């Protein structure tokens, strides 16, 4: 070492002290020693044997008061004069002493006095590996986007090792991993640092964070290292699409389900995190009106109903759904929604054909109508059964599916039920079931299956004799339960004979009204009753009829006075009853016998004594007409007794006849004769008798001549007619009706009746008109039944109303 430099250095450190040394510089002997020791030696460790190295013995050291002079505050070594060695006094840390400077040494001087000796000692401190590489921090946070491309570099922390040389930082190591490799580089100062290079792309979804260790090693022996943890957080990138967890979802919904009904929840997941994994669900817009029926909750994926589902319109829906994340990546799936049928449609009844009118004689099984039923529902909800609601004589048959025939099930009777309201009910089999009703109005048309019926088996009417012709006797009314023409009843008189004459001469029946009129005045004494049969016939085809017996009972009128049969009233001869003078009280003289052709009360006769020669002698039995003596006949009584007896009937008013009874009070016939002259005294009586006899004779003679003339005239007339009128064999003679008189002369019919009778062959269609006006009549003598006379009107025209118009009636 150059001395000048040494001084300079010394001066520099301890200027004042060094200056002192300079004063003695020429007198100082000096030597230089150099030692090398490793750092961190224990205190007291030997550095070097100074005494021997300087060539000094112990005495000299002691005598020269050898000591160390140093400019430093810290004196690392001490001089042990007794042994002449240098020993470590303080810990020597190379890194503290020199830092990174190499080589590293410190120096001091050993001074000896008497003589002054100055020896320079340099101690070189050798490095040992006493420091590990170290990082400033223990942990390092690193965030790397997963989209980082391979080759991306990431600077890592640099480690520090105060040791130098081979003991300093030598290399870096990275814990094994699949993504990164480490590159160790040196900067311009030669410091080593490391970079991490991405070799294989990151996937946050697989491995969202990575923990690595970076190890720095030095080259010492033993080797030392330092570690830093590198925590890598992989940042998400939207690299994943949402994925539905099912490719097809299946759901069902009841038709007519209300708004808001839950259908199904779909679920899509997105492997990305954060906003990249936020999924929004939607219904694909491309499907017509499905999005007006279903809606999906954007966030939860719940599909619910917003519209109407009708099984009959759509049985299933296919909803295409989409899940979209924030980066517009999508997935789609579909939801198959099956609509479950609900029994919401009632059956529909269609009438294919229906006859609203059926004849009552239609046989059971006659088809009335064909109906078709439909139900828009399906399955049980659409299976329809038809039935008839009422208990009506109809049934419904199904021959084809959904086609029904309505047929009669029994014979119909219009007369009991003329119309039916047939209610057909169609019920489906759903639960609850729905039904539809349809009412068919069926009318039963009439068939003439009922004959007219008279309510009474026998009709009777009573009429007093001597009735006015044309008087109505009774009205018949038959009933026919059929209707219209089938119930239109005509009354027809059945032909029979009453006492030789056809009944049509006695009565007429009005065909339409059933009123029975008397055609003539009846005489009880001739006909007591008129039994006849009236037929009621309906207008059906063929017509049905029934008979009823009508009995017209002619009631007696007191139109005949009693007739005395005994004693016979002769004009001239005098017949007397004889009473012996000795006759007792109650002696039956005679009996007045009278009859009355009337009947009943009218013929109930009572006898009364009207006039008597001696009223005290006889009495007449009121009931029996017996004339008896009431007292003893005596000789004083006149021989000739004349009694007038009145015979009265009990009619109202009563009619009577008188009879004169001559009684002779005598024992024998001669006695009577003697008194006969007395009887002749009854001049008035004889005159009358004579007059009647003469009148009778005259009448008889006149009748005889008249008859003779008539017979002759008829003969002549016939002879002439047969030549002139071939076609007519009826003699027509003007005829003046005779006064209808009583042959007995006592009771006469007080009126003369003229009447017109119009008769047509069709009695139903004729109206009979009875007139009072007399007119010229024609007597028609029917040669086949002589003595029977029919009076008919000839000149006066009688118009009869007919359905076809007016026409002249044909005469019979
Ligand atoms: C979807 O599925 C995932 C995983 O199975 C689950 O965690 C999530 O809750 C589901 N989302 C819905 C809306 O159900
Ligand atoms: C899909 O997600 C829905 C809703 O969370 C769930 O109900 C269904 O079971 C899931 N399907 C599968 C196959 O996991
Ligand atoms: C979706 O569902 C959520 C959670 O239930 C609810 O809060 C939200 O209102 C719903 N969105 C719609 C549009 O209904
Ligand atoms: C049938 O129905 C009609 C109309 O409702 C009614 O006028 C008629 O009286 C009914 N007939 C029967 C027999 O019930
Ligand atoms: C009615 O009486 C007529 C004659 O008396 C007879 O021919 C006919 O058969 C009877 N009709 C009935 C329905 O009894």
């Amino acid at each position: 070492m150059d001395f000048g430099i040494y001084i300079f250095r010394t001066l520099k450190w301890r200027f004042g002290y060094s200056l002192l040394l300079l004063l003695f510089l020429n007198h100082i002997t000096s030597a230089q020693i150099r030692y090398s020791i490793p750092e961190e030696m224990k205190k007291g460790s030997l550095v070097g044997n100074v005494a021997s190295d300087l060539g000094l013995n112990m005495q000299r050291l002691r005598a020269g008061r050898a000591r160390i002079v140093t400019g430093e505050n810290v004196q690392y070594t001490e001089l042990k004069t007794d042994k002449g060695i240098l020993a470590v006094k303080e810990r020597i840390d190379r890194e503290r002493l020199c830092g990174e400077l190499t080589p590293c040494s410190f120096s001091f001087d050993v001074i000896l006095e008497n003589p002054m000796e100055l020896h320079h000692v340099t101690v070189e401190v050798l490095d040992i590996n006493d420091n590990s590489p170290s990082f400033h921090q223990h942990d390092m946070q690193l965030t790397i986007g997963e989209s980082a491309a391979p080759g991306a570099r990431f600077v890592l922390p640099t480690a520090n090792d105060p040791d130098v040389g081979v003991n300093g930082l030598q290399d870096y190591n990275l814990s094994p991993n699949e993504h990164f490799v480490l590159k160790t580089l040196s900067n311009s100062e030669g410091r080593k640092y490391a970079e991490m290079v991405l070799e294989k792309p990151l996937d946050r979804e697989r491995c969202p964070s990575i923990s690595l260790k970076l190890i720095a090693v030095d080259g010492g022996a033993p080797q030392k290292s330092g570690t830093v943890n590198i925590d890598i957080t992989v940042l998400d990138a939207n690299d994943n699409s949402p994925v539905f967890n099912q490719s097809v979802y299946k759901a069902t919904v009841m038709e007519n389900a209300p708004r808001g009904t839950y259908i199904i929840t779909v679920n899509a997941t997105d492997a990305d995190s954060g906003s990249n994994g936020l999924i929004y669900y939607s219904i694909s817009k491309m499907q017509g009106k499905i999005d007006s029926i279903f809606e999906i909750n954007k966030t939860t994926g719940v599909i619910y109903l917003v519209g109407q589902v009708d099984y009959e319109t759509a049985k299933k829906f296919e909803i295409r759904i989409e899940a979209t994340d924030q980066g517009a990546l999508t997935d789609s799936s579909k939801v198959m929604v099956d609509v479950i049928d609900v029994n919401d449609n009632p059956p529909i009844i269609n009438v294919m054909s229906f006859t609203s009118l059926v004849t009552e004689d239609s046989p059971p099984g006659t088809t009335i109508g064909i109906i078709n039923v439909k139900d828009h529902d399906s399955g049980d909800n659409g299976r329809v059964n038809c039935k008839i609601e009422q208990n009506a004589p109809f049934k419904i048959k199904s021959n084809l599916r959904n086609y029904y025939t309505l047929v009669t099930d029994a014979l119909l009777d219009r007369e009991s039920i003329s119309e039916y309201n047939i209610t057909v009910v169609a019920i489906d089999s759903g639960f609850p079931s729905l039904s539809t009703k349809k009412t068919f109005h069926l009318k039963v048309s009439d068939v003439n299956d009922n004959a007219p019926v008279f309510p009474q088996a026998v009709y009777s009417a009573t009429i007093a004799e001597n009735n006015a012709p044309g008087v109505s006797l009774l009205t018949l009314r038959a009933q026919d339960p059929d209707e219209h023409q089938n119930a239109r009843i005509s009354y027809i008189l059945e032909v029979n004979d009453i006492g030789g004459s056809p009944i049509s001469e006695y009565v007429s029946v009005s065909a339409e009204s059933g009123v029975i009129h008397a055609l003539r005045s009846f005489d009880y004494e001739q006909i007591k009753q008129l039994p006849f049969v009236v037929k009621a016939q309906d207008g059906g085809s063929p017509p049905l009829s029934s008979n009823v017996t009508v009995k017209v009972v002619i009631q007696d009128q007191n139109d005949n006075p009693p007739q005395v049969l005994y004693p016979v009233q002769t004009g001239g001869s005098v017949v007397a009853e004889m009473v012996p003078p000795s006759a007792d009280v109650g002696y039956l003289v005679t009996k007045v016998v009278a009859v009355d052709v009337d009947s009943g009360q009218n013929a109930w006769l009572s006898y009364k004594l009207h006039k008597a020669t001696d009223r005290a002698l006889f009495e007449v039995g009121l009931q029996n007409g017996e004339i008896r003596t009431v007292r003893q006949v005596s000789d004083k009584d006149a021989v000739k007794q004349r009694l007038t007896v009145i015979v009265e009937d009990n009619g109202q008013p009563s009619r009577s006849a008188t009879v004169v009874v001559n009684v002779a009070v005598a024992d024998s016939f001669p006695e009577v004769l003697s008194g006969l002259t007395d009887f002749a005294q009854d001049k008035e009586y004889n005159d009358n008798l004579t007059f009647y006899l003469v009148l009778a004779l005259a009448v008889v003679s006149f009748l005889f001549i008249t008859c003779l003339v008539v017979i002759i005239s008829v003969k002549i007339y016939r002879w002439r007619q047969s030549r002139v009128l071939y076609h007519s064999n009826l003699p027509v003679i003007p005829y003046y009706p005779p006064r209808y008189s009583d042959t007995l002369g006592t009771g006469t019919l007080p009126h003369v009746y003229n009447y017109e009778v119009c008769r047509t062959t069709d009695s139903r269609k004729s109206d009979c008109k009875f007139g009072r006006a007399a007119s010229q009549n024609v007597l028609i003598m029917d040669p086949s039944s002589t003595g029977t006379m029919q009076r008919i009107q000839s000149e006066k025209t009688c118009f009869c109303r007919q359905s076809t118009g007016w026409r002249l009636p044909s005469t019979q």
Side-chain angles (χ1 to χ4, degrees):
M1 175 193 270
D2 181 65
F3 193 66
I5 294 169
Y6 175 72
I7 290 172
F8 175 74
R9 279 192 60 188
T10 310
L11 279 177
K12 198 179 160 188
W13 293 341
R14 291 279 196 267
F15 182 73
Y17 187 59
S18 299
L19 197 64
L20 184 70
L21 283 176
L22 275 175
L23 293 176
F24 302 101
L25 203 59
N26 290 329
H27 315 288
I28 295 169
T29 51
S30 66
Q32 276 198 12
I33 315 166
R34 194 174 183 91
Y35 295 108
S36 276
I37 56 163
E39 60 176 327
E40 307 283 358
M41 290 179 75
K42 272 191 232 157
K43 282 183 188 168
S45 303
L46 177 71
V47 177
N49 198 334
V50 181
S52 66
D53 290 340
L54 290 177
L56 300 173
N57 60 22
M58 295 302 158
Q59 283 174 321
R60 174 67 185 126
L61 286 179
R62 239 175 281 130
R65 288 195 6 234
R67 61 186 184 271
I68 290 171
V69 179
T70 178
E72 307 288 327
N73 288 339
V74 185
Q75 195 173 334
Y76 294 106
T77 56
E78 64 179 344
L79 183 66
K80 300 214 174 192
T81 48
D82 54 345
K83 291 174 185 167
I85 55 166
L86 268 175
V88 175
K89 189 184 174 213
E90 290 286 327
R91 180 188 156 227
I92 307 167
D93 182 9
R94 195 205 65 84
E95 284 76 29
R96 256 226 340 254
L97 201 61
C98 308
E100 289 176 28
L101 204 69
T102 52
C104 174
S105 62
F106 61 91
S107 305
F108 54 88
D109 294 313
V110 177
I111 291 181
L112 292 157
E113 296 170 10
N114 299 326
M116 182 96 149
E117 271 178 70
L118 194 66
H119 299 284
H120 193 71
V121 179
T122 302
V123 178
E124 188 182 353
V125 182
L126 299 175
D127 185 40
I128 64 164
N129 194 18
D130 59 343
N131 286 290
S132 308
S134 69
F135 293 94
H136 281 296
Q137 72 242 64
H138 270 293
D139 300 293
M140 180 193 179
Q141 309 296 332
L142 206 56
T143 45
I144 307 174
E146 60 176 321
S147 53
R153 305 190 319 169
F154 304 92
V155 176
L156 298 179
T158 309
N160 192 31
D161 193 339
D163 293 334
V164 292
V166 74
N167 289 334
L169 177 71
Q170 293 300 310
D171 206 357
Y172 291 97
N173 289 320
L174 196 60
S175 57
N177 71 89
E178 48 179 315
H179 296 285
F180 297 98
V181 290
L182 197 68
K183 238 181 177 174
T184 307
L185 304 160
S186 301
N187 64 3
S188 53
E189 294 166 18
R191 284 187 73 140
K192 293 214 166 76
Y193 65 93
E195 275 180 359
M196 208 164 62
V197 180
L198 184 64
E199 206 177 46
K200 193 177 152 208
L202 295 171
D203 183 5
R204 189 204 66 80
E205 289 71 37
R206 245 188 65 220
C207 188
S209 67
I210 302 168
S211 272
L212 297 176
K213 274 183 163 52
L214 180 66
I215 304 160
V217 289
D218 60 18
Q223 198 176 42
K224 290 196 173 210
S225 65
T227 308
V228 64
N229 290 323
I230 304 175
D231 293 324
I232 303 171
T233 308
V234 183
L235 276 186
D236 188 47
N238 191 20
D239 55 348
N240 284 284
S241 305
V243 176
F244 277 105
N245 70 348
Q246 286 171 232
S247 60
V248 174
Y249 295 85
K250 285 193 158 68
T252 54
V253 63
M254 304 286 273
E255 69 171 320
N256 303 333
R259 247 184 93 93
T261 299
Y262 170 85
I263 308 286
I264 197 172
T265 304
V266 295
N267 190 359
T269 45
D270 191 316
D272 294 329
S273 68
S275 65
N276 289 332
L278 212 56
I279 295 172
Y280 289 132
Y281 299 97
S282 60
I283 290 177
S284 172
K285 292 284 169 208
M286 322 291 288
Q287 315 168 62
K289 61 188 184 78
I290 251 182
D291 55 346
S292 66
I293 300 173
F294 298 100
E295 244 174 50
I296 191 164
N297 186 310
K298 198 162 84 146
T299 52
T300 59
V302 173
I303 297 178
Y304 53 94
L305 197 64
V306 290
Q308 277 285 322
V309 282
D310 183 12
Y311 179 83
E312 287 68 43
T313 318
K315 293 183 174 45
K316 56 170 65 180
F317 293 96
E318 187 180 317
I319 312 169
R320 299 212 68 88
I321 48 171
E322 280 175 6
T324 310
D325 67 12
Q326 297 300 293
L329 295 175
T330 61
D331 186 23
S332 67
S333 181
K334 59 187 175 185
V335 180
M336 308 292 297
V337 181
D338 285 328
V339 182
I340 297 170
D341 186 37
V342 165
N343 194 18
D344 59 344
N345 288 287
I348 299 165
I349 298 178
N350 289 317
V351 182
M352 303 276 109
S353 73
F354 177 67
T355 40
S356 59
L357 200 64
V358 65
T359 56
E360 57 178 320
D361 61 349
S362 305
T366 303
T367 300
I368 296 165
I370 298 171
I371 57 172
N372 167 246
V373 291
K374 266 189 211 143
D375 194 308
H376 290 308
D377 294 324
S378 63
D380 273 357
N381 294 338
R383 197 160 54 241
V384 182
N385 273 317
C386 263
K387 61 179 188 194
I388 292 175
E389 201 175 47
Q390 306 95 330
N391 199 5
F394 303 98
K395 65 182 176 188
I396 195 153
K397 294 197 298 190
S398 174
N399 359 19
L400 273 164
R401 188 176 147 69
N402 287 344
Y403 279 87
Y404 292 88
T405 341
L406 187 61
V407 296
T408 57
D409 195 21
L411 272 175
L412 305 176
D413 183 20
R414 190 205 63 82
E415 284 71 38
S416 34
I417 302 168
S418 65
E419 57 178 40
Y420 291 94
N421 284 340
I422 310 167
T423 308
V424 172
V425 192
I427 305 172
D428 64 25
S429 310
F431 183 82
S433 64
L434 296 174
S435 66
T436 305
K437 289 182 182 180
K438 177 131 197 139
T439 299
F440 294 92
H441 193 68
L442 180 75
K443 279 199 163 151
V444 182
S445 72
D446 191 42
V447 162
N448 193 20
D449 56 351
N450 286 285
V453 172
F454 286 99
Q456 286 167 246
V458 173
Y459 283 84
S460 57
T462 48
I463 182 160
E465 59 176 330
N466 304 324
N467 57 296
V471 78
S472 85
L473 298 174
L474 78 159
T475 304
L476 297 180
R477 185 142 301 283
Q479 265 130 30
D480 192 327
D482 293 327
E483 63 173 3
H484 304 313
Q485 195 61 30
N486 292 337
R488 193 174 157 169
I489 301 171
S490 307
Y491 302 92
I492 301 158
L493 196 56
E494 287 286 341
V495 180
N496 72 349
D497 279 4
I498 300 282
S501 319
I503 185 67
S504 53
E505 288 186 10
Y506 293 93
V507 289
S508 73
V509 179
S510 163
E512 247 162 84
S513 63
V515 179
I516 298 176
H517 290 279
L519 285 185
R520 56 161 76 166
S521 184
F522 300 128
D523 183 5
Y524 175 81
E525 285 69 38
Q526 282 177 5
I527 304 162
K528 302 224 169 0
Q529 61 177 25
L530 286 169
F532 55 91
V533 172
V534 174
K535 181 166 84 175
Q537 178 174 298
D538 63 25
S541 165
L544 296 175
S545 63
S546 64
N547 290 343
V548 74
T549 306
V550 184
K551 206 185 278 174
V552 175
V553 176
I554 296 160
Q555 266 182 342
D556 185 42
Q557 266 188 335
N558 197 18
D559 59 344
N560 290 290
Q563 270 178 284
V564 179
L565 299 180
Y566 185 85
V568 181
Q569 300 291 296
T570 54
S573 66
V574 177
V575 181
E577 310 294 333
M578 287 208 290
V579 181
S582 58
D584 249 351
V585 176
Y587 176 83
L588 178 62
V589 179
T590 184
K591 183 177 160 109
V592 176
V593 178
V595 291
D596 194 315
V597 290
D598 294 328
S599 61
Q601 292 281 325
N602 294 337
W604 191 28
L605 302 180
S606 59
Y607 303 86
K608 276 179 207 149
L609 193 58
H610 181 55
K611 269 193 241 165
T613 316
D614 184 353
R615 289 198 75 95
L617 187 55
F618 301 102
E619 63 165 11
V620 177
L622 185 66
Q623 306 295 333
N624 49 22
E626 285 172 357
I627 300 174
R628 290 175 187 274
T629 56
V630 280
R631 63 168 170 80
Q632 187 73 51
V633 181
S634 71
D635 296 339
K636 290 177 209 125
D637 289 322
V639 173
K640 193 183 68 177
Q641 294 283 340
R642 185 184 168 87
L643 307 174
T644 309
V645 175
I646 292 185
V647 184
E648 269 183 344
D649 61 23
N650 204 27
Q652 278 296 335
S654 72
R655 290 177 176 264
S656 62
T658 50
V659 62
V660 176
V661 181
N662 292 315
V663 180
V665 182
D667 271 331
S668 60
F669 198 68
E671 268 182 80
V672 181
L673 284 178
S674 64
L676 265 182
T677 45
D678 293 337
F679 283 114
Q681 281 174 350
D682 205 345
K683 194 172 173 23
E684 173 198 17
Y685 174 82
N686 284 341
D687 284 353
N688 270 354
L689 197 65
T690 314
F691 172 73
Y692 286 128
L693 284 172
V694 172
L695 192 66
L697 195 67
V699 167
V700 167
S701 310
F702 174 73
L703 280 177
F704 175 72
I705 292 159
T706 310
C707 281
L708 216 62
V709 169
V710 164
I711 288 164
I712 291 163
S713 307
V714 164
K715 287 283 178 198
I716 294 165
Y717 185 77
R718 266 193 186 172
W719 176 75
R720 285 177 64 178
Q721 277 296 98
S722 62
R723 269 155 218 280
V724 179
L725 305 162
Y726 330 96
H727 58 281
S728 173
N729 58 351
L730 291 180
V732 180
I733 292 168
Y735 170 75
Y736 296 93
R739 190 161 279 238
Y740 183 82
S741 62
D742 187 0
T743 46
L744 296 167
T746 46
T748 56
L749 202 64
H751 304 294
V752 174
Y753 293 105
N754 295 308
Y755 55 90
E756 311 162 65
V757 180
C758 291
R759 299 186 65 201
T760 65
T761 46
D762 187 0
S763 67
R764 183 202 323 165
K765 288 173 180 169
S766 72
D767 283 337
C768 286
K769 185 170 104 189
F770 298 93
R772 298 196 59 82
S775 62
Q776 194 186 17
N777 287 337
V778 172
L779 176 72
I780 299 171
M781 295 192 78
D782 190 346
S784 57
S785 62
T786 48
T788 303
M789 288 184 282
Q790 284 183 309
R791 275 169 288 170
I792 64 156
Q793 193 208 30
S794 66
E795 289 169 8
K796 198 164 188 274
T797 316
C798 171
F799 293 102
C800 295
R801 190 166 55 79
Q802 301 205 345
S803 53
T804 50
W806 291 96
R807 80 178 163 98
L808 212 61
S810 62
T811 52
Q812 279 182 315

